[in-house]
Amino acid sequence: MESIVHHTITVNGINIHVAEKGQGPIVLLLHGFPELWYSWRHQILFLAAHGYRAVAPDLRGYGDTTGAPLDDPTKFTALHVVGDLVALIDAIGADKVFVVGHDWGALIAWRLCLFRPDKVKALVSLSVPFTPRNPHQKPVENLRLAYGDDHYICRFQEPGEIEAVFASVGTKQVIKKFLTYRDPAPFYFPKDNPLRDIHDTPVILPSWLTEEDVDYYTKKFEQTGFTGGINYYRCFDLNWELEAPWTNAKVNVPVKFVVGDLDLVYNIPRLKEYIHKGGFLADVPLLEEVVVIEGAAHFITQEIPDIVNQHILDFLQKF
């Protein structure tokens, strides 16, 4: 880990913290929530050892990246974050890069491919497939109808509300709760008991997540708070409005999709049918492979890094 180089690149009025290692074709690694560049620690070392330059930023609102106005959720749209990435790609001297995204990082990666396919050689999407824009219904409205007001994305919408819940629980416990979540069922924060039993039942860390790992995340989220990351969720409906010009647009970039069979995203109703029955391929014509890993949950970059690393490498070596 000491060999990973850290520096800051100022673009779009924000200061992006970047962790990187290696020489060769650039692989841009995009993290999710509640994560950081650190979520790619295993991939950075692996890719660097196999002839690639791994570049992992803290995205807008996260970690040591500074300058984004946390009190204004409208500054966290996919257009803003893709704009950061396009500027970052230019700043590191690249024309095109490989992209690997997980969770929100995957969602942003899909938008990068949709808006600026000229910047992407190929994409490995982890956990979150492309999903087409539904012109008839806003995403949060759809989630409320499907799951009710206690679904975590619905509960994330009101500025300050979930932050207060997290503060009452404590940053470290929140991090542990998220990163160790393995239930393929939907994630709920009931208003009467938002993180049920978290005070009474200590979270047992799995072998792949150490106290040192948790401490790193905790330090950074105590430093920045959770608002930056949560603001991405608060932009779901605004993204829907802004992305209207891309309704029915195809993603014309080579893609590999990897997901654990216990991932709560993979188990969203009707999503498996979309992924496996032709809908996904219709929207992503250059989709080359879909890999479902048995017994793996959501945070696969950390839970099963050796397997994920090999899947990434096998795909990148085709280009």
Side-chain angles (χ1 to χ4, degrees):
M1 291 288 285
E2 293 77 16
S3 62
I4 296 173
V5 176
H6 297 264
H7 56 103
T8 301
I9 298 175
T10 300
V11 293
N12 284 0
I14 67 171
N15 309 302
I16 300 180
H17 166 246
V18 172
E20 68 165 273
K21 181 175 171 62
Q23 300 294 325
I26 294 171
V27 186
L28 186 62
L29 302 165
L30 306 178
H31 68 79
F33 178 86
E35 297 185 275
L36 301 161
W37 75 267
Y38 189 81
S39 305
W40 299 106
R41 58 198 179 278
H42 306 294
Q43 288 71 39
I44 292 170
L45 298 175
F46 177 85
L47 289 166
H50 286 81
Y52 292 90
R53 179 183 172 192
V55 176
D58 283 336
L59 294 179
R60 170 181 290 244
Y62 283 92
D64 292 321
T65 290
T66 61
L70 301 182
D71 58 350
D72 186 355
T74 68
K75 296 296 192 287
F76 289 81
T77 69
L79 288 171
H80 285 91
V81 186
V82 169
D84 296 343
L85 297 178
V86 170
L88 178 62
I89 291 167
D90 290 342
I92 59 179
D95 180 33
K96 283 188 164 192
V97 296
F98 292 113
V99 180
V100 184
H102 172 257
D103 186 78
W104 259 104
L107 195 149
I108 295 299
W110 286 113
R111 269 61 197 169
L112 175 61
C113 293
L114 198 61
F115 304 158
R116 292 298 303 272
D118 59 304
K119 290 292 179 185
V120 183
K121 293 179 186 176
L123 166 67
V124 180
S125 176
L126 307 175
S127 297
V128 178
F130 179 75
T131 48
R133 180 181 183 272
N134 178 352
H136 307 296
Q137 190 169 55
K138 293 183 178 182
V140 177
E141 178 185 329
N142 188 41
L143 286 166
R144 285 192 199 281
L145 287 171
Y147 299 111
D149 291 340
D150 285 343
H151 187 265
Y152 77 102
I153 293 176
C154 300
R155 292 277 278 116
F156 278 9
Q157 296 305 308
E158 184 61 38
E161 185 178 306
I162 206 69
E163 288 95 327
V165 171
F166 287 175
S168 72
V169 171
T171 303
K172 182 175 245 184
Q173 285 295 88
V174 171
I175 292 294
K176 285 183 174 182
K177 176 74 171 178
F178 270 98
L179 294 184
T180 60
Y181 190 78
R182 295 186 60 78
D183 190 339
F187 203 5
Y188 291 101
F189 285 142
K191 279 202 172 185
D192 59 342
N193 190 4
L195 288 169
R196 56 184 66 168
D197 303 326
I198 194 167
H199 289 299
D200 307 321
T201 311
V203 177
I204 306 300
L205 294 184
S207 60
W208 53 267
L209 188 68
T210 67
E211 287 289 347
E212 184 182 17
D213 297 332
V214 172
D215 287 344
Y216 185 87
Y217 286 112
T218 301
K219 177 185 174 185
K220 295 303 177 183
F221 278 98
E222 284 182 343
Q223 173 185 306
T224 62
F226 288 97
T227 298
I230 295 169
N231 280 343
Y232 287 62
Y233 294 90
R234 292 175 179 146
C235 283
F236 261 128
D237 284 352
L238 181 54
N239 285 335
W240 179 85
E241 294 178 18
L242 295 173
E243 293 172 15
W246 290 275
T247 302
N248 297 324
K250 309 297 184 190
V251 176
N252 288 304
V253 167
V255 174
K256 180 174 185 172
F257 176 63
V258 183
V259 67
D261 69 342
L262 299 178
D263 195 313
L264 78 168
V265 177
Y266 183 60
N267 287 278
I268 291 173
R270 297 184 297 280
L271 195 61
K272 289 179 187 175
E273 289 77 8
Y274 170 76
I275 291 170
H276 298 291
K277 302 290 186 182
F280 193 13
L281 182 58
D283 291 325
V284 186
L286 301 180
L287 177 66
E288 294 196 14
E289 193 175 357
V290 171
V291 177
V292 181
I293 300 172
E294 190 174 340
H298 184 66
F299 293 97
I300 53 175
T301 65
Q302 301 173 79
E303 180 186 344
I304 48 168
D306 294 347
I307 295 171
V308 169
N309 290 349
Q310 197 59 51
H311 277 299
I312 294 170
L313 183 65
D314 289 347
F315 189 60
L316 299 190
Q317 286 180 333
K318 294 182 177 182
F319 302 94

